[in-house]
Amino acid sequence: MGFGRSLKRIMTREALESGWTTKARQDGNREFISILACISAIRRWIPPLLIYKGDSGDLTDTWVDEVTRESGAHFTTSHNGWSNREIGLKWLQQVFQRYTKPARKTQKRLLIVDGHSSHVNYAFINYCDLHGIIVLILPPHTTHRLQPLDVGLFQPLLTMYSIELNKLMADSGGHVLMSKQFFWPMFKKA
């Protein structure tokens, strides 16, 4: 199993200047929506967890008004839109455990992670140990070489998301500002 990185590049100035998002207007109020993604080597579906920036800790209904039970994603918030120890542990318990739980208690699972503190901390490692999850932590500054999800999954996803973003901007004549409300429908299509 592999653990993906955040899609922080989607809404950054770097992405705009590099040509990934060509018609986006930036109002200076940039916010990230991160994703925790995991791929199963035995073809089990593991839904992504999308993390919105939200100081109250609650999702606003307009951000996810098109989300249904069949959407195939989980959502949460953090004060900056990034993962943290609490979110990493909840993802492990409520998403990874649920969708990868083995048929027999004696079966082990391998979870490959980078060194981010959201999944390399005592609570996370202890939960893994208690539930037969072997954690392989990639060495620092090597994930760009060792993480095939970056090339095989996130790069095509970024490309398709950028296409959807460009369509939104083109269809509106450039008169719409990107908001959290537009993110899920475009991300789902991508």
Side-chain angles (χ1 to χ4, degrees), residues 109-170:
R109 292 161 285 166
L110 174 64
L111 178 60
I112 302 171
V113 299
D114 61 19
H116 192 269
S117 64
S118 66
H119 44 267
V120 180
N121 60 72
Y122 178 78
F124 192 96
I125 301 296
N126 188 53
Y127 184 89
C128 289
D129 187 47
L130 293 173
H131 291 89
I133 302 167
I134 300 166
V135 179
L136 173 67
I137 304 168
L138 296 173
H141 311 295
T142 61
T143 56
H144 65 288
R145 298 265 190 226
L146 300 176
Q147 206 168 58
L149 295 182
D150 286 351
V151 175
L153 175 71
F154 291 119
Q155 191 62 50
L157 178 59
L158 178 61
T159 300
M160 295 308 297
Y161 179 80
S162 294
I163 290 169
E164 291 301 319
L165 183 59
N166 287 338
K167 284 181 193 174
L168 173 70
M169 294 301 153

Side-chain angles (χ1 to χ4, degrees), residues 42 44 100-110 128 131-134:
I42 59 172
R44 281 194 185 169
T100 67
K101 191 171 184 174
R104 297 185 326 266
K105 286 187 177 186
T106 57
Q107 288 179 309
K108 304 269 186 200
R109 292 161 285 166
L110 174 64
C128 289
H131 291 89
I133 302 167
I134 300 166

Side-chain angles (χ1 to χ4, degrees), residues 7-134:
L7 289 177
K8 296 175 190 167
R9 199 170 156 210
I10 289 174
M11 295 306 294
T12 65
R13 177 176 288 290
E14 175 190 0
L16 180 62
E17 291 171 353
S18 73
W20 283 103
T21 54
T22 57
K23 296 178 184 158
R25 286 187 4 192
Q26 177 54 256
D27 66 355
N29 188 12
R30 205 173 320 157
E31 291 185 10
F32 293 122
I33 298 173
S34 301
I35 181 173
L36 297 183
C38 185
I39 305 302
S40 170
I42 59 172
R43 297 183 175 197
R44 281 194 185 169
W45 167 248
I46 304 168
L49 171 67
L50 291 121
I51 306 165
Y52 285 71
K53 180 180 178 180
D55 291 326
S56 70
D58 296 322
L59 287 169
T60 302
D61 59 354
T62 58
W63 301 347
V64 290
D65 61 356
E66 293 190 30
V67 175
T68 65
R69 285 191 176 271
E70 294 77 33
S71 292
H74 295 266
F75 297 85
T76 193
T77 63
S78 71
H79 74 282
N80 58 10
W82 300 338
S83 185
N84 57 40
R85 290 177 182 207
E86 179 183 329
I87 290 172
L89 184 59
K90 284 185 178 180
W91 172 85
L92 180 65
Q93 295 168 335
Q94 297 174 10
V95 179
F96 185 79
Q97 177 70 9
R98 175 180 172 190
Y99 292 95
T100 67
K101 191 171 184 174
R104 297 185 326 266
K105 286 187 177 186
T106 57
Q107 288 179 309
K108 304 269 186 200
R109 292 161 285 166
L110 174 64
L111 178 60
I112 302 171
V113 299
D114 61 19
H116 192 269
S117 64
S118 66
H119 44 267
V120 180
N121 60 72
Y122 178 78
F124 192 96
I125 301 296
N126 188 53
Y127 184 89
C128 289
D129 187 47
L130 293 173
H131 291 89
I133 302 167
I134 300 166

